Amino acid sequence: MRKVEIVAGSCIALLAIVSIGQLYLDRQPDPQKGKPSVKDSVKSGSQEQTQTETKAVTIDEVVETYLPSLKEGTEVGKQVALGSLIDELEGPEFGRTELMKDAGEALSQAAIAIIESPDAEAKAPEELKVRVAGFLAGRTHGPSSRDYALKILDEGTTESRQAVLRGLGAQHGVGGKKVFDKVSELGSKGLISGEALPGLLRRTGGSRAIEPITAVMKSTDSPKVISACVIALQDTGEPSVLGPAFERLEAVGMIDKPKALPWISSAMFGKFMETAEGSTLSRGIKAMRTRPSLVKAAVSSLEKGLSKGDPDTRRNAADAIKKAVVGKFIDAKRGEELLAGRLSVETEPVLKAELTGGLEQVRGMTAEPKAPETKQQ
């Protein structure tokens, strides 16, 4: 009996697909009408033009076409139709398209009714349940999807919970304060991995996630978790988050290691360094020494570090300038000016010797290359 129901459901899904195809055909221009005249094509200046191209079927129309198949017929038939609809919506044409609120809510209610059906003989397969949970969390954002996502996070299987977590906070997915609070709760219970938690907090909480992400970052020595926190903090768009981020990176020794230092936004770094002073300035300069590509965004901070910093900060600044010149992130002439200016007033003997060596290396890069000598015959 179940095989018969599956075949019937497949036929229903096929009819829905055929209906979608008919939508395309109905929108083709009628060749018997011929081309409109210029007089007919343009009205009121050029405000109204005759449309001759095919109008694409919208994602909401696809959902509307499938809805009868999701609400009527056998449970197995509904399941087959639901799987076919998700195939369509996850395909190349609609995979990145937003569902309007009404269509998304209608789909959510129908999908949840199918996979939560009490019919014991036609229970939805676990694979379909996981797939639907992930799709609703990542592609719809109505109250039904939100409440179902929260239910899955509390009561669902490990697979369905992971599917929901992957979708939460997506551009067109479930979000909001209730979801953020639930993610925070699960994170505090250790039910979300340390590497995944910072991104989830940021996606569901936005700027209000800064404090809990910072707390996670300060509570661990794991380089992977700290890196995830630093990246999530920057994704909030607040330059000030780099302060506690660099402080933690320095405390665990990651700020001095090129392979351990996580991604840093150059644009955000430049804004952050505009007001950096004291230890904050020193940490920023350390980051530039480790990753010279950041120098281009904050050259003036290196100049400040050379003139106001303690000997270690001045040494780090000089080293960052030299590395940036070698890496061609700043002009060699500019690097020479910065180092020569500091050398003329530096009094610390060891640092003065290092500045001299660095200046000579930079000057060597600015010298004009000699033309190759020609051999005399």
Side-chain angles (χ1 to χ4, degrees):
M1 176 63 77
R2 188 175 179 88
K3 288 183 179 180
V4 174
E5 291 178 332
I6 292 174
V7 171
S10 300
C11 292
I12 293 172
L14 181 59
L15 286 174
I17 295 171
V18 170
S19 299
I20 295 170
Q22 188 61 48
L23 283 175
Y24 282 101
L25 293 174
D26 290 344
R27 295 183 179 192
Q28 294 283 354
D30 188 346
Q32 295 183 355
K33 292 182 179 180
K35 283 190 175 182
S37 67
V38 174
K39 183 177 179 181
D40 294 333
S41 298
V42 182
K43 299 179 181 179
S44 302
S46 61
Q47 293 179 0
E48 182 176 338
Q49 298 181 354
T50 300
Q51 184 178 2
T52 59
E53 68 276 4
T54 304
K55 185 178 179 182
V57 174
T58 69
I59 188 171
D60 297 336
E61 289 171 330
V62 173
V63 172
E64 185 179 353
T65 301
Y66 266 90
L67 280 177
S69 304
L70 303 182
K71 296 179 178 180
E72 302 169 4
T74 66
E75 291 302 319
V76 174
K78 295 176 186 177
Q79 294 165 19
V80 173
L82 179 57
S84 297
L85 174 56
I86 295 179
D87 285 339
E88 189 80 23
L89 300 186
E90 289 183 334
E93 185 170 1
F94 299 111
R96 296 180 179 274
T97 307
E98 179 181 9
L99 271 164
M100 293 297 101
K101 186 175 181 180
D102 290 345
E105 181 66 11
L107 169 57
S108 298
Q109 292 178 2
I112 293 168
I114 291 170
I115 60 177
E116 295 281 288
S117 172
D119 189 340
E121 295 184 1
K123 187 176 181 181
E126 189 63 30
E127 181 182 355
L128 180 62
K129 290 184 177 182
V130 171
R131 191 180 183 195
V132 169
F135 180 86
L136 295 182
R139 294 289 301 278
T140 64
H141 45 78
S144 295
S145 296
R146 181 201 61 209
D147 293 345
Y148 185 67
L150 292 173
K151 178 181 178 181
I152 291 296
L153 291 177
D154 276 333
E155 307 171 5
T157 63
T158 300
E159 291 77 11
S160 59
R161 184 186 294 117
Q162 290 302 316
V164 167
L165 289 175
R166 285 193 294 271
L168 291 182
Q171 183 181 3
H172 305 312
V174 170
K177 187 177 184 303
K178 288 184 178 180
V179 175
F180 172 71
D181 290 343
K182 177 58 66 175
V183 169
S184 301
E185 176 191 330
L186 295 177
S188 66
K189 294 178 178 179
L191 298 178
I192 302 176
S193 72
E195 293 177 52
L197 180 58
L200 271 168
L201 288 170
R202 198 279 308 166
R203 293 199 306 272
T204 58
S207 59
R208 65 171 170 256
I210 291 176
E211 186 175 340
I213 294 173
T214 302
V216 173
M217 180 177 65
K218 291 181 177 180
S219 69
T220 181
D221 291 334
S222 167
K224 290 184 178 180
V225 176
I226 292 173
S227 293
C229 289
V230 172
I231 292 171
L233 286 171
Q234 291 177 87
D235 286 341
T236 65
E238 298 287 342
S240 61
V241 300
L242 287 175
F246 285 142
E247 184 176 359
R248 188 60 186 157
L249 290 169
E250 182 184 54
V252 297
M254 294 172 64
I255 201 168
D256 298 314
K257 299 174 182 177
K259 292 184 178 181
L261 187 65
W263 172 79
I264 304 294
S265 164
S266 294
M268 187 176 291
F269 180 78
K271 292 180 180 179
F272 170 74
M273 293 299 287
E274 287 176 0
T275 58
E277 298 284 351
S279 60
T280 300
L281 175 66
S282 297
R283 294 187 190 105
I285 289 174
K286 280 186 178 182
M288 285 190 274
R289 181 194 62 186
T290 303
R291 186 161 297 155
S293 59
L294 295 172
V295 169
K296 189 175 181 179
V299 176
S300 59
S301 298
L302 288 174
E303 194 170 9
K304 188 191 300 184
L306 286 171
S307 61
K308 295 183 179 181
D310 55 58
D312 282 341
T313 299
R314 298 200 300 274
R315 180 178 292 105
N316 290 334
D319 200 22
I321 292 169
K322 182 180 69 175
K323 289 181 177 180
V325 170
V326 172
K328 297 183 179 181
F329 298 112
I330 60 171
D331 183 71
K333 281 290 186 183
R334 179 59 173 147
E336 181 181 349
E337 290 172 2
L338 290 169
L339 294 177
R342 183 60 217 171
L343 181 60
S344 64
V345 295
E346 183 59 57
T347 58
E348 209 275 325
V350 176
L351 181 52
K352 191 165 186 175
E354 292 177 0
L355 282 168
T356 300
L359 184 58
E360 289 177 356
Q361 183 178 354
V362 169
R363 280 175 174 165
M365 297 184 68
T366 62
E368 292 292 334
K370 293 181 179 180
E373 295 181 3
T374 57
K375 293 183 178 181
Q376 296 183 356
Q377 300 296 328

